[in-house]
Amino acid sequence: MVSLLKFFSSIVLCLTLLSGCFDAGGATGASYSEDIDAVRDHVTDGQSNADLIGELAGRHGKVTWLAGPWDDKQSDQQVLVSASIRKNLNDADRELTLLYRYDRTSHNVVLDKVLLDGQVQSVVGGAVAMLAMKLE
């Protein structure tokens, strides 16, 4: 009986944690959909983030936009918006993720990090990773 209770409480904990994940494509991301739209529409050097991500994804890439709180300890005015691109390069599945920090008060959008296959890239490494994605 104790192990069943332990199992059930683990499931409840997992469901609670998963409810904090938000997807722009689904109904669960309603409270963050405006934040995702703001980041997607933000223009840098004459190009919106949505256009940049679409260009990096190319014809064969799959793009997923997600958003959630930047940090539970900070105010709810800071939002983490990520754009993940999955694509096959040189017969290997790769994932490039751009992490943006969006400030709901000032409407500032800052590219915070670039991840390639989950690993943080330096400025040069991030640029090379984005170029590799773009070249398909």
Side-chain angles (χ1 to χ4, degrees), residues 18-136:
L18 287 175
S19 69
C21 298
F22 301 96
D23 181 358
T28 59
S31 65
Y32 288 98
S33 62
E34 290 180 14
D35 302 309
I36 292 171
D37 289 342
V39 171
R40 288 173 51 100
D41 295 341
H42 181 76
V43 175
T44 305
D45 296 329
Q47 185 176 36
S48 72
N49 288 326
D51 290 341
L52 170 68
I53 298 300
E55 193 174 306
L56 293 171
R59 293 184 313 261
H60 304 292
K62 180 182 182 310
V63 177
T64 304
W65 289 86
L66 300 172
W70 180 262
D71 185 350
D72 292 336
K73 298 172 189 153
Q74 294 180 357
S75 82
D76 62 348
Q77 298 305 304
Q78 298 291 317
V79 178
L80 170 66
V81 178
S82 68
S84 295
I85 303 163
R86 289 189 157 276
K87 124 192 249 190
N88 190 299
L89 294 173
N90 299 326
D91 296 325
D93 287 332
R94 307 301 299 265
E95 181 175 29
L96 179 71
T97 304
L98 283 72
L99 301 176
Y100 295 94
R101 182 188 302 229
Y102 175 63
D103 187 321
R104 288 177 168 172
T105 305
S106 68
H107 304 287
N108 283 341
V109 176
V110 176
L111 177 61
D112 190 66
K113 290 182 184 151
V114 176
L115 307 173
L116 180 61
D117 297 329
Q119 301 296 315
V120 177
Q121 302 297 302
S122 66
V123 174
V124 173
V128 169
M130 288 194 288
L131 180 61
M133 282 287 194
K134 190 174 177 178
L135 294 177
E136 262 187 271

